[in-house]
Amino acid sequence: MTSGAGGGGDAWSLTDVITRLRRTLRASVREELPWESLPMAQVELLQRLAEEPGLGVSELATRQHLARNTVSNLVQQMFTSGLLERRAHESDRRAVVLSLTAEGEERLLAWKRANERRIRRALEGLSPESRRAIDQALPALQALAAQLEAQEEAGVEKAS
């Protein structure tokens, strides 16, 4: 991204598009899955635990960049709702490890499917050229996400 001073204009355009996509997807999924049934904070924890089962509360908080007590409260809500199971850590009985229950997996899958249907409908309304451009941009966007995650994990925030 090279337009503007140091690419700032294009960086903002990308940020704006990402924000608009997230907002629109959240709103449209609520039509199919009411917001109260699975808040976004819980969806994000379910996604992380699906990718990395067996994390503890502290590890989950670190990876999600949330306060430990926030994650602890969310985990308690999700445990009570039957979305998560907790079991004692093998080497530290004071600690627990978390994993999705069958209900948690089903709810996450329903959320993913609702988003996928919404995206597919929107993609069908685009020209073949636009669909190809999006397909071709996906590897670069995935690399950008990985770069941002790596910088965040390293505690690097570059000023422009």
Side-chain angles (χ1 to χ4, degrees):
M1 312 214 115
T2 58
S3 73
D10 283 341
W12 174 249
S13 294
L14 179 59
T15 301
D16 181 54
V17 167
I18 291 168
T19 301
R20 289 174 55 208
L21 286 169
R22 284 182 53 98
R23 182 178 53 244
T24 304
L25 283 170
R26 275 195 316 265
S28 65
V29 164
R30 275 188 234 137
E31 294 171 11
E32 195 169 331
L33 303 170
W35 180 257
E36 294 78 22
S37 73
L38 198 57
M40 196 63 206
Q42 291 185 12
V43 169
E44 290 175 357
L45 293 184
L46 289 175
Q47 287 175 308
R48 176 66 71 171
L49 288 169
E51 294 169 7
E52 298 182 70
L55 292 175
V57 173
S58 293
E59 294 167 310
L60 189 55
T62 298
R63 283 182 175 68
Q64 294 302 108
H65 304 283
L66 295 170
R68 188 184 186 290
N69 64 331
T70 299
V71 172
S72 183
N73 289 336
L74 287 167
V75 164
Q76 181 58 42
Q77 292 167 10
M78 296 165 73
F79 175 76
T80 302
S81 298
L83 302 175
L84 293 181
E85 64 181 33
R86 299 182 286 202
R87 63 180 190 287
H89 191 279
E90 290 177 9
S91 62
D92 181 359
R93 295 290 176 200
R94 295 171 295 160
V96 296
V97 293
L98 306 167
S99 59
L100 302 180
T101 61
E103 173 68 17
E105 289 175 2
E106 287 174 24
R107 297 281 289 280
L108 181 58
L109 183 59
W111 185 87
K112 286 179 178 180
R113 286 181 176 159
N115 271 292
E116 186 175 303
R117 281 190 292 274
R118 177 71 169 112
I119 290 286
R120 285 190 190 282
R121 282 193 305 268
L123 287 170
E124 288 169 359
L126 297 178
S127 69
E129 296 80 21
S130 290
R131 288 194 303 267
R132 272 193 299 279
I134 291 169
D135 285 342
Q136 290 172 349
L138 284 175
L141 290 170
Q142 290 165 338
L144 176 62
Q147 178 68 21
L148 288 168
E149 289 167 348
Q151 288 176 355
E152 192 171 12
E153 287 176 15
V156 176
E157 190 171 319
K158 297 190 179 194
S160 300

